[in-house]
Amino acid sequence: MKARINEEGDGFEDSNGREQQQVVNDPQLTFTFHEDSGERGTRAGPGEELQMPTALEKTQALTEQVMEQVVGRSNLNDAYRRVKTNKGSPGVDGMTTEGLYVWINRHREELIGSLLDGSYQPQPVRRVEIPKPGGGMRKLGIPTVVDRLVQQAILQVLDPILDPNFSESSYGFRRKRSAEQALKAAAGYVRDGRVIVVDLDLEQFFDRVNHDILMSRLARRVADKRCLRIVRAYLTAGIMVNGVCMEQDEGTPQGGPLSPLLANLLLDDLDKELEKRGHRFCRYADDCNIYVQSKVAGERVMASVSQFLEQRLKLLVNRAKSAVAYCEKRKFLGYRLLAGGKLGLAPQSLKRIKDKVRRITARNRGRSLSAIVQELNDILPGWVNYFRHAAMKGHLLELDEWIRRKLRCYRLKQRKRGKSIGEYLETLGIPPQRARILAGSGKGWWALAHTPPIHEAMNGKWFEGLGLVNLSRHYAALLSH
C-alpha cells in the first residue's frame, strides 16, 4: 500500500486517495469477537450455556490490533499536525520538524510497514540538561522528529484505552484535567480538617522507572505485541551523550510524547493502593500529596507508602525533600494551602519569578529597554494567570514596584555617565539644576533608581508608555471576570 501526506497534515492516503481502513474501531465504542478464532468467548453447543467473555477478554479484543489504528490515516495526520505545532529541537539525526514532510514522502511505505510488523526501531534520544527551579539539573531526552511522530500516533491510540481506568485523584497530563482541579480538591481536603500533608518526592522519577514493571502494566491493558515491542524499544533506545550512545536499562526519558502517559500508568498502582486504604490525596505526575488529620497518622502513612513505592514499584523516595507537615508549610503545584482551604502563593514561586526577572533585566545584557519590556511581558501575564487563585494582591504590588525599580536601573545604566544621565533626566522634565546634582551624587544604580526625582521622571505613565504590564491591575481584572 502506498501512502502520502500533504504538508497541511491531512493526507496519509493510499495510492488511490482512499483512507487506509482501520481494522479496529474506536476502542471506547465497539469491539469485535471472531467466533471461529477459538480465542474469544465460547459458542454454546446444544444444551450448553453461552459463555460470555470476561472484562479482561473484552479489553484484549479491543487492543489486539492497536497498530492498525496507529497507522490509520486520520491518526497519523493528527500526530503529524501535533508534532509540527509543538516544534521542538532536533534529535540525534539533526532533522527539524520542517524536514519531517520531506522524510515522510521518501520513507512512508517503510515507516508504515515497520509499524505494522512491529520491527520499527527508534533512534537514541539526545540528552540535554536544564536547570531545575529548586536547584540542580533536569535531564531531558529529545527524540528525533520521526520518533516523536510515531510516539504521538501511539499515544493518541493508547490514551483512550488507558486513561478511563486511571484514578479520579490523578490530574497531571490528562485530558480534561488540570492543576486547577488538583488544587481545588486539595483545598477541599484541608477545609475538611485534613491539615497535615504527606508530601512525597520521588527522586529522579523519570530516570528510575523500571522497564519490566512498566511493560507488565501496559501488557495488562494492551494485547498487541507489536505495540508492546515498539514501546519497549523506545524505553531501551539509549541516550546520546557527547556522541556516545549509552544503554538505558531503566527510566523513560522526559521529552517524548509517550512519557507522561507511561508515568501515569506506572503510578496508577500507587493511586489504587491509596484508594484501597481510603486516603484523600492528589497526584499531579510524580508530585503526590496525601492529606491526613494528625502528624502521627502522617508519619505512619509516609513510612508505609514509601515502602510500597520502593518495594512494589522500585522507585526511590527522596527523604530529604519529602516531609510530613502542616499544609501551609509545604507547597503544591507552586501554591501554598492556607487555613480553611484558601490558596496562597508559595515563597519559592515568588523567588522563582524574581530570579527570572533578574536574568532578563541584568544590566550587562546590552539590549534595548523596549526589548527588555517585551521579554517581561512575554512571561509575567502568564505567571499571574496561573497563580490567579492565590491571595497575592500585596505580593503583586511589591513585585510591580520592584520590577519598575529594576527597569529604572537598566535605563540609567544605559546612559553610563553623570552628564548623560543629567541630560536625560532633563528630557523627562526634571529641572536642570536638580538633574545635575542627582547625576553627580555618586549613588549606585540601585540607590539612584529609588530617589524621588527618578520616581518623578520615570513614573507610572512613563512605564505605561513603554507598554509594561501592570501585574496588580492584570490580577484584579482576572478576579473580576
Side-chain angles (χ1 to χ4, degrees):
M1 176 182 290
K2 293 184 178 180
R4 63 183 176 83
I5 183 169
N6 68 28
E7 196 161 5
E8 286 69 37
D10 57 9
F12 263 103
E13 302 172 355
D14 63 23
S15 57
N16 298 317
R18 295 189 301 272
E19 180 176 341
Q20 296 180 40
Q21 183 178 359
Q22 295 189 24
V23 179
V24 180
N25 292 327
D26 186 332
Q28 291 183 309
L29 300 177
T30 63
F31 49 87
T32 303
F33 295 103
H34 302 285
E35 293 183 339
D36 58 351
S37 68
E39 297 175 1
R40 294 289 171 268
T42 304
R43 296 185 66 184
E48 293 180 355
E49 184 179 349
L50 179 65
Q51 305 243 339
M52 297 304 293
T54 66
L56 178 60
E57 288 172 335
K58 290 180 181 180
T59 301
Q60 290 175 332
L62 286 171
T63 62
E64 283 190 329
Q65 293 176 310
V66 163
M67 296 312 297
E68 277 73 15
Q69 298 179 66
V70 168
V71 302
R73 172 191 168 191
S74 61
N75 187 61
L76 286 174
N77 282 325
D78 287 345
Y80 174 75
R81 283 191 291 268
R82 184 63 62 88
V83 170
K84 287 276 289 182
T85 299
N86 290 344
K87 296 183 179 179
S89 302
V92 295
D93 60 357
M95 187 191 302
T96 64
T97 52
E98 289 73 20
L100 182 57
Y101 168 65
V102 175
W103 187 93
I104 289 172
N105 272 319
R106 292 175 179 171
H107 300 279
R108 53 187 178 264
E109 294 179 19
E110 177 187 349
L111 173 64
I112 292 174
S114 64
L115 291 174
L116 286 174
D117 65 21
S119 65
Y120 181 83
Q121 183 59 47
Q123 296 189 63
V125 299
R126 181 169 66 88
R127 166 66 56 80
V128 296
E129 295 186 353
I130 60 173
K132 285 184 179 181
M137 303 298 289
R138 175 174 284 117
K139 298 175 182 177
L140 297 181
I142 309 299
T144 65
V145 291
V146 176
D147 285 336
R148 295 207 293 269
L149 170 71
V150 174
Q151 283 197 41
Q152 182 64 38
I154 293 174
L155 170 67
Q156 291 167 181
V157 175
L158 291 187
D159 188 68
I161 297 170
L162 302 178
D163 188 86
N165 296 300
F166 290 158
S167 169
E168 288 296 312
S169 296
S170 168
Y171 297 91
F173 306 111
R174 298 182 63 190
R175 292 169 297 150
K176 299 182 180 179
R177 297 237 151 195
S178 65
E180 181 179 341
Q181 292 173 321
L183 290 163
K184 183 178 179 181
Y189 298 146
V190 173
R191 278 195 302 273
D192 291 341
R194 298 176 183 274
V195 296
I196 302 296
V197 60
V198 180
D199 187 356
L200 287 165
D201 184 278
L202 296 178
E203 186 170 317
Q204 298 178 323
F205 167 73
F206 284 93
D207 295 331
R208 293 184 179 276
V209 169
N210 183 285
H211 292 172
D212 291 336
I213 294 175
L214 175 58
M215 291 307 302
S216 72
R217 301 313 186 258
L218 185 59
R220 292 175 184 172
R221 311 277 181 85
V222 175
D224 192 329
K225 290 187 167 123
R226 298 166 299 176
C227 178
L228 297 175
R229 192 179 304 125
I230 291 173
V231 171
R232 182 177 275 277
Y234 273 117
L235 296 175
T236 59
I239 296 174
M240 189 71 73
V241 181
N242 298 323
V244 178
C245 182
M246 302 172 60
E247 291 186 0
Q248 191 82 345
D249 56 6
E250 64 178 4
T252 171
Q254 295 184 72
L258 263 177
S259 290
L261 178 65
L262 296 178
N264 274 334
L265 176 63
L266 181 65
L267 290 175
D268 190 55
D269 274 25
L270 170 64
D271 299 339
K272 296 298 192 290
E273 179 67 18
L274 295 176
E275 288 175 345
K276 186 173 74 173
R277 299 182 186 186
H279 288 307
R280 304 292 185 268
F281 69 98
C282 295
R283 184 177 64 78
Y284 196 95
D286 59 335
D287 193 355
C288 184
N289 280 3
I290 308 167
Y291 297 89
V292 296
Q293 293 177 316
S294 71
K295 273 206 164 187
V296 172
E299 296 291 353
R300 185 171 61 248
V301 170
M302 174 67 82
S304 62
V305 173
S306 297
Q307 184 180 37
F308 174 86
L309 286 166
E310 294 177 351
Q311 294 186 359
R312 185 77 64 87
L313 299 182
K314 308 302 179 186
L315 298 171
L316 185 62
V317 175
N318 188 327
R319 261 67 177 187
K321 293 184 178 180
S322 299
V324 176
Y326 284 99
C327 56
E328 60 206 40
K329 300 292 184 183
R330 305 294 292 178
K331 68 178 177 68
F332 182 51
L333 301 177
Y335 281 79
R336 193 159 58 107
L337 285 161
L338 306 175
K342 293 182 180 180
L343 294 173
L345 183 65
Q348 299 95 320
S349 299
L350 185 59
K351 179 182 180 302
R352 196 172 303 159
I353 193 63
K354 292 184 80 170
D355 287 343
K356 287 184 179 179
V357 171
R358 285 189 184 96
R359 287 194 292 271
I360 292 172
T361 59
R363 296 192 289 274
N364 60 354
R365 294 193 66 201
R367 302 199 67 192
S368 68
L369 185 62
S370 60
I372 295 298
V373 169
Q374 184 56 55
E375 284 189 57
L376 291 173
N377 286 347
D378 287 342
I379 66 166
L380 293 174
W383 183 83
V384 176
N385 290 350
Y386 178 78
F387 287 107
R388 67 189 182 277
H389 303 292
M392 58 175 182
K393 182 178 178 181
H395 288 304
L396 293 183
L397 288 170
E398 293 177 4
L399 189 57
D400 271 328
E401 180 51 44
W402 181 77
I403 291 171
R404 288 193 289 266
R405 189 174 176 183
K406 294 288 288 183
L407 290 173
R408 292 185 185 110
C409 280
Y410 193 90
R411 186 69 186 101
L412 291 170
K413 176 69 162 49
Q414 286 182 322
R415 303 303 296 188
K416 294 184 179 179
R417 295 178 183 164
K419 183 179 178 181
S420 177
I421 293 173
E423 291 172 350
Y424 178 64
L425 293 178
E426 289 182 42
T427 67
L428 296 178
I430 303 299
Q433 184 177 4
R434 195 180 182 194
R436 286 195 296 270
I437 292 173
L438 183 62
S441 66
K443 292 179 180 289
W445 304 117
W446 186 245
L448 190 62
H450 198 50
T451 57
I454 299 298
H455 272 258
E456 292 174 25
M458 302 178 186
N459 55 23
K461 288 186 178 179
W462 187 78
F463 283 105
E464 286 179 12
L466 290 174
L468 178 67
V469 63
N470 185 290
L471 302 184
S472 303
R473 287 203 289 266
H474 185 69
Y475 177 64
L478 289 173
L479 295 184
S480 66
H481 280 59

PDB file of all heavy atoms in Angstrom, residues 77-102:
ATOM      1  N   ASN A  77      -2.230  11.707  10.538  1.00  0.00           N
ATOM      2  CA  ASN A  77      -2.322  13.135  10.223  1.00  0.00           C
ATOM      3  C   ASN A  77      -2.413  13.978  11.485  1.00  0.00           C
ATOM      4  O   ASN A  77      -1.795  15.041  11.592  1.00  0.00           O
ATOM      5  CB  ASN A  77      -3.532  13.403   9.327  1.00  0.00           C
ATOM      6  CG  ASN A  77      -3.266  13.025   7.878  1.00  0.00           C
ATOM      7  OD1 ASN A  77      -2.168  13.181   7.392  1.00  0.00           O
ATOM      8  ND2 ASN A  77      -4.278  12.507   7.218  1.00  0.00           N
ATOM      9  N   ASP A  78      -3.206  13.517  12.445  1.00  0.00           N
ATOM     10  CA  ASP A  78      -3.307  14.241  13.717  1.00  0.00           C
ATOM     11  C   ASP A  78      -1.948  14.298  14.410  1.00  0.00           C
ATOM     12  O   ASP A  78      -1.564  15.327  14.970  1.00  0.00           O
ATOM     13  CB  ASP A  78      -4.327  13.565  14.640  1.00  0.00           C
ATOM     14  CG  ASP A  78      -5.759  13.796  14.171  1.00  0.00           C
ATOM     15  OD1 ASP A  78      -5.970  14.694  13.329  1.00  0.00           O
ATOM     16  OD2 ASP A  78      -6.660  13.066  14.645  1.00  0.00           O
ATOM     17  N   ALA A  79      -1.224  13.173  14.383  1.00  0.00           N
ATOM     18  CA  ALA A  79       0.097  13.123  15.009  1.00  0.00           C
ATOM     19  C   ALA A  79       1.061  14.069  14.297  1.00  0.00           C
ATOM     20  O   ALA A  79       1.841  14.786  14.941  1.00  0.00           O
ATOM     21  CB  ALA A  79       0.638  11.694  14.992  1.00  0.00           C
ATOM     22  N   TYR A  80       1.010  14.086  12.975  1.00  0.00           N
ATOM     23  CA  TYR A  80       1.882  14.967  12.194  1.00  0.00           C
ATOM     24  C   TYR A  80       1.609  16.440  12.533  1.00  0.00           C
ATOM     25  O   TYR A  80       2.532  17.220  12.760  1.00  0.00           O
ATOM     26  CB  TYR A  80       1.650  14.709  10.712  1.00  0.00           C
ATOM     27  CG  TYR A  80       2.385  15.663   9.796  1.00  0.00           C
ATOM     28  CD1 TYR A  80       3.753  15.549   9.596  1.00  0.00           C
ATOM     29  CD2 TYR A  80       1.702  16.676   9.134  1.00  0.00           C
ATOM     30  CE1 TYR A  80       4.431  16.421   8.756  1.00  0.00           C
ATOM     31  CE2 TYR A  80       2.365  17.559   8.295  1.00  0.00           C
ATOM     32  CZ  TYR A  80       3.723  17.420   8.110  1.00  0.00           C
ATOM     33  OH  TYR A  80       4.382  18.291   7.290  1.00  0.00           O
ATOM     34  N   ARG A  81       0.342  16.805  12.586  1.00  0.00           N
ATOM     35  CA  ARG A  81      -0.006  18.200  12.907  1.00  0.00           C
ATOM     36  C   ARG A  81       0.462  18.567  14.308  1.00  0.00           C
ATOM     37  O   ARG A  81       0.946  19.675  14.541  1.00  0.00           O
ATOM     38  CB  ARG A  81      -1.516  18.411  12.778  1.00  0.00           C
ATOM     39  CG  ARG A  81      -2.003  18.537  11.350  1.00  0.00           C
ATOM     40  CD  ARG A  81      -3.442  19.017  11.299  1.00  0.00           C
ATOM     41  NE  ARG A  81      -4.363  18.019  11.796  1.00  0.00           N
ATOM     42  CZ  ARG A  81      -4.964  17.115  11.034  1.00  0.00           C
ATOM     43  NH1 ARG A  81      -4.714  17.080   9.726  1.00  0.00           N
ATOM     44  NH2 ARG A  81      -5.798  16.241  11.546  1.00  0.00           N
ATOM     45  N   ARG A  82       0.320  17.638  15.249  1.00  0.00           N
ATOM     46  CA  ARG A  82       0.729  17.922  16.623  1.00  0.00           C
ATOM     47  C   ARG A  82       2.252  18.124  16.716  1.00  0.00           C
ATOM     48  O   ARG A  82       2.715  19.045  17.391  1.00  0.00           O
ATOM     49  CB  ARG A  82       0.292  16.777  17.543  1.00  0.00           C
ATOM     50  CG  ARG A  82       0.591  17.016  19.008  1.00  0.00           C
ATOM     51  CD  ARG A  82      -0.169  18.209  19.552  1.00  0.00           C
ATOM     52  NE  ARG A  82      -1.587  18.003  19.468  1.00  0.00           N
ATOM     53  CZ  ARG A  82      -2.324  17.404  20.407  1.00  0.00           C
ATOM     54  NH1 ARG A  82      -1.729  16.945  21.486  1.00  0.00           N
ATOM     55  NH2 ARG A  82      -3.616  17.289  20.251  1.00  0.00           N
ATOM     56  N   VAL A  83       3.000  17.274  16.046  1.00  0.00           N
ATOM     57  CA  VAL A  83       4.465  17.404  16.076  1.00  0.00           C
ATOM     58  C   VAL A  83       4.889  18.712  15.423  1.00  0.00           C
ATOM     59  O   VAL A  83       5.776  19.422  15.917  1.00  0.00           O
ATOM     60  CB  VAL A  83       5.135  16.197  15.384  1.00  0.00           C
ATOM     61  CG1 VAL A  83       6.632  16.429  15.194  1.00  0.00           C
ATOM     62  CG2 VAL A  83       4.904  14.930  16.201  1.00  0.00           C
ATOM     63  N   LYS A  84       4.248  19.064  14.303  1.00  0.00           N
ATOM     64  CA  LYS A  84       4.567  20.328  13.628  1.00  0.00           C
ATOM     65  C   LYS A  84       4.246  21.511  14.527  1.00  0.00           C
ATOM     66  O   LYS A  84       4.999  22.484  14.597  1.00  0.00           O
ATOM     67  CB  LYS A  84       3.777  20.432  12.321  1.00  0.00           C
ATOM     68  CG  LYS A  84       4.264  19.532  11.229  1.00  0.00           C
ATOM     69  CD  LYS A  84       5.422  20.130  10.457  1.00  0.00           C
ATOM     70  CE  LYS A  84       4.989  21.274   9.584  1.00  0.00           C
ATOM     71  NZ  LYS A  84       6.109  21.823   8.786  1.00  0.00           N
ATOM     72  N   THR A  85       3.109  21.453  15.214  1.00  0.00           N
ATOM     73  CA  THR A  85       2.692  22.560  16.073  1.00  0.00           C
ATOM     74  C   THR A  85       3.625  22.709  17.267  1.00  0.00           C
ATOM     75  O   THR A  85       3.991  23.821  17.657  1.00  0.00           O
ATOM     76  CB  THR A  85       1.247  22.332  16.570  1.00  0.00           C
ATOM     77  OG1 THR A  85       0.383  22.270  15.438  1.00  0.00           O
ATOM     78  CG2 THR A  85       0.794  23.469  17.474  1.00  0.00           C
ATOM     79  N   ASN A  86       4.009  21.583  17.861  1.00  0.00           N
ATOM     80  CA  ASN A  86       4.868  21.623  19.050  1.00  0.00           C
ATOM     81  C   ASN A  86       6.307  22.033  18.721  1.00  0.00           C
ATOM     82  O   ASN A  86       7.049  22.454  19.619  1.00  0.00           O
ATOM     83  CB  ASN A  86       4.883  20.256  19.747  1.00  0.00           C
ATOM     84  CG  ASN A  86       3.559  19.942  20.397  1.00  0.00           C
ATOM     85  OD1 ASN A  86       2.729  20.825  20.599  1.00  0.00           O
ATOM     86  ND2 ASN A  86       3.339  18.680  20.715  1.00  0.00           N
ATOM     87  N   LYS A  87       6.695  21.868  17.457  1.00  0.00           N
ATOM     88  CA  LYS A  87       8.062  22.205  17.017  1.00  0.00           C
ATOM     89  C   LYS A  87       9.074  21.436  17.872  1.00  0.00           C
ATOM     90  O   LYS A  87       9.079  20.232  17.886  1.00  0.00           O
ATOM     91  CB  LYS A  87       8.267  23.709  17.067  1.00  0.00           C
ATOM     92  CG  LYS A  87       7.346  24.447  16.094  1.00  0.00           C
ATOM     93  CD  LYS A  87       7.600  25.934  16.093  1.00  0.00           C
ATOM     94  CE  LYS A  87       6.674  26.615  15.099  1.00  0.00           C
ATOM     95  NZ  LYS A  87       6.848  28.081  15.069  1.00  0.00           N
ATOM     96  N   GLY A  88       9.914  22.121  18.607  1.00  0.00           N
ATOM     97  CA  GLY A  88      10.911  21.427  19.420  1.00  0.00           C
ATOM     98  C   GLY A  88      12.241  21.284  18.697  1.00  0.00           C
ATOM     99  O   GLY A  88      12.353  21.479  17.482  1.00  0.00           O
ATOM    100  N   SER A  89      13.248  20.913  19.467  1.00  0.00           N
ATOM    101  CA  SER A  89      14.618  20.803  18.952  1.00  0.00           C
ATOM    102  C   SER A  89      14.804  19.499  18.181  1.00  0.00           C
ATOM    103  O   SER A  89      14.099  18.514  18.419  1.00  0.00           O
ATOM    104  CB  SER A  89      15.621  20.857  20.102  1.00  0.00           C
ATOM    105  OG  SER A  89      15.476  22.054  20.832  1.00  0.00           O
ATOM    106  N   PRO A  90      15.775  19.463  17.266  1.00  0.00           N
ATOM    107  CA  PRO A  90      16.068  18.216  16.553  1.00  0.00           C
ATOM    108  C   PRO A  90      16.640  17.167  17.492  1.00  0.00           C
ATOM    109  O   PRO A  90      17.194  17.478  18.549  1.00  0.00           O
ATOM    110  CB  PRO A  90      17.122  18.642  15.507  1.00  0.00           C
ATOM    111  CG  PRO A  90      17.047  20.129  15.439  1.00  0.00           C
ATOM    112  CD  PRO A  90      16.601  20.588  16.791  1.00  0.00           C
ATOM    113  N   GLY A  91      16.520  15.907  17.087  1.00  0.00           N
ATOM    114  CA  GLY A  91      17.116  14.808  17.838  1.00  0.00           C
ATOM    115  C   GLY A  91      18.531  14.534  17.359  1.00  0.00           C
ATOM    116  O   GLY A  91      19.193  15.402  16.787  1.00  0.00           O
ATOM    117  N   VAL A  92      18.989  13.292  17.547  1.00  0.00           N
ATOM    118  CA  VAL A  92      20.376  12.951  17.225  1.00  0.00           C
ATOM    119  C   VAL A  92      20.658  13.016  15.729  1.00  0.00           C
ATOM    120  O   VAL A  92      21.819  13.173  15.321  1.00  0.00           O
ATOM    121  CB  VAL A  92      20.732  11.543  17.758  1.00  0.00           C
ATOM    122  CG1 VAL A  92      20.693  11.517  19.278  1.00  0.00           C
ATOM    123  CG2 VAL A  92      19.817  10.474  17.157  1.00  0.00           C
ATOM    124  N   ASP A  93      19.617  12.911  14.875  1.00  0.00           N
ATOM    125  CA  ASP A  93      19.841  12.937  13.432  1.00  0.00           C
ATOM    126  C   ASP A  93      19.835  14.342  12.864  1.00  0.00           C
ATOM    127  O   ASP A  93      20.100  14.541  11.672  1.00  0.00           O
ATOM    128  CB  ASP A  93      18.802  12.079  12.708  1.00  0.00           C
ATOM    129  CG  ASP A  93      17.370  12.555  12.949  1.00  0.00           C
ATOM    130  OD1 ASP A  93      17.187  13.519  13.725  1.00  0.00           O
ATOM    131  OD2 ASP A  93      16.446  11.963  12.364  1.00  0.00           O
ATOM    132  N   GLY A  94      19.525  15.351  13.700  1.00  0.00           N
ATOM    133  CA  GLY A  94      19.547  16.731  13.244  1.00  0.00           C
ATOM    134  C   GLY A  94      18.334  17.157  12.442  1.00  0.00           C
ATOM    135  O   GLY A  94      18.245  18.314  12.016  1.00  0.00           O
ATOM    136  N   MET A  95      17.368  16.258  12.210  1.00  0.00           N
ATOM    137  CA  MET A  95      16.200  16.608  11.406  1.00  0.00           C
ATOM    138  C   MET A  95      15.261  17.532  12.185  1.00  0.00           C
ATOM    139  O   MET A  95      14.964  17.281  13.346  1.00  0.00           O
ATOM    140  CB  MET A  95      15.426  15.352  10.990  1.00  0.00           C
ATOM    141  CG  MET A  95      14.283  15.629  10.006  1.00  0.00           C
ATOM    142  SD  MET A  95      13.185  14.199   9.767  1.00  0.00           S
ATOM    143  CE  MET A  95      14.344  12.977   9.191  1.00  0.00           C
ATOM    144  N   THR A  96      14.806  18.596  11.542  1.00  0.00           N
ATOM    145  CA  THR A  96      13.867  19.531  12.156  1.00  0.00           C
ATOM    146  C   THR A  96      12.440  19.125  11.816  1.00  0.00           C
ATOM    147  O   THR A  96      12.202  18.270  10.947  1.00  0.00           O
ATOM    148  CB  THR A  96      14.116  20.955  11.649  1.00  0.00           C
ATOM    149  OG1 THR A  96      13.853  20.998  10.234  1.00  0.00           O
ATOM    150  CG2 THR A  96      15.563  21.382  11.911  1.00  0.00           C
ATOM    151  N   THR A  97      11.494  19.764  12.475  1.00  0.00           N
ATOM    152  CA  THR A  97      10.079  19.483  12.167  1.00  0.00           C
ATOM    153  C   THR A  97       9.748  19.900  10.740  1.00  0.00           C
ATOM    154  O   THR A  97       8.871  19.309  10.113  1.00  0.00           O
ATOM    155  CB  THR A  97       9.159  20.220  13.153  1.00  0.00           C
ATOM    156  OG1 THR A  97       9.507  21.614  13.188  1.00  0.00           O
ATOM    157  CG2 THR A  97       9.286  19.645  14.553  1.00  0.00           C
ATOM    158  N   GLU A  98      10.461  20.917  10.216  1.00  0.00           N
ATOM    159  CA  GLU A  98      10.221  21.337   8.840  1.00  0.00           C
ATOM    160  C   GLU A  98      10.662  20.257   7.849  1.00  0.00           C
ATOM    161  O   GLU A  98      10.107  20.149   6.742  1.00  0.00           O
ATOM    162  CB  GLU A  98      10.968  22.649   8.547  1.00  0.00           C
ATOM    163  CG  GLU A  98      10.400  23.880   9.224  1.00  0.00           C
ATOM    164  CD  GLU A  98      10.677  23.927  10.706  1.00  0.00           C
ATOM    165  OE1 GLU A  98      11.626  23.229  11.165  1.00  0.00           O
ATOM    166  OE2 GLU A  98       9.955  24.640  11.431  1.00  0.00           O
ATOM    167  N   GLY A  99      11.648  19.454   8.225  1.00  0.00           N
ATOM    168  CA  GLY A  99      12.132  18.405   7.333  1.00  0.00           C
ATOM    169  C   GLY A  99      11.312  17.126   7.390  1.00  0.00           C
ATOM    170  O   GLY A  99      11.532  16.206   6.599  1.00  0.00           O
ATOM    171  N   LEU A 100      10.353  17.060   8.322  1.00  0.00           N
ATOM    172  CA  LEU A 100       9.579  15.833   8.502  1.00  0.00           C
ATOM    173  C   LEU A 100       8.737  15.505   7.278  1.00  0.00           C
ATOM    174  O   LEU A 100       8.614  14.341   6.893  1.00  0.00           O
ATOM    175  CB  LEU A 100       8.692  15.966   9.743  1.00  0.00           C
ATOM    176  CG  LEU A 100       7.846  14.755  10.125  1.00  0.00           C
ATOM    177  CD1 LEU A 100       8.712  13.521  10.347  1.00  0.00           C
ATOM    178  CD2 LEU A 100       7.028  15.056  11.386  1.00  0.00           C
ATOM    179  N   TYR A 101       8.153  16.525   6.648  1.00  0.00           N
ATOM    180  CA  TYR A 101       7.295  16.309   5.475  1.00  0.00           C
ATOM    181  C   TYR A 101       8.064  15.620   4.347  1.00  0.00           C
ATOM    182  O   TYR A 101       7.586  14.652   3.748  1.00  0.00           O
ATOM    183  CB  TYR A 101       6.734  17.654   5.015  1.00  0.00           C
ATOM    184  CG  TYR A 101       6.063  17.626   3.673  1.00  0.00           C
ATOM    185  CD1 TYR A 101       4.900  16.891   3.478  1.00  0.00           C
ATOM    186  CD2 TYR A 101       6.590  18.340   2.592  1.00  0.00           C
ATOM    187  CE1 TYR A 101       4.283  16.857   2.237  1.00  0.00           C
ATOM    188  CE2 TYR A 101       5.980  18.320   1.355  1.00  0.00           C
ATOM    189  CZ  TYR A 101       4.821  17.575   1.177  1.00  0.00           C
ATOM    190  OH  TYR A 101       4.219  17.553  -0.042  1.00  0.00           O
ATOM    191  N   VAL A 102       9.265  16.111   4.081  1.00  0.00           N
ATOM    192  CA  VAL A 102      10.089  15.531   3.015  1.00  0.00           C
ATOM    193  C   VAL A 102      10.448  14.089   3.352  1.00  0.00           C
ATOM    194  O   VAL A 102      10.391  13.193   2.499  1.00  0.00           O
ATOM    195  CB  VAL A 102      11.364  16.374   2.807  1.00  0.00           C
ATOM    196  CG1 VAL A 102      12.280  15.705   1.781  1.00  0.00           C
ATOM    197  CG2 VAL A 102      10.995  17.789   2.361  1.00  0.00           C
TER     198      VAL A 102
END
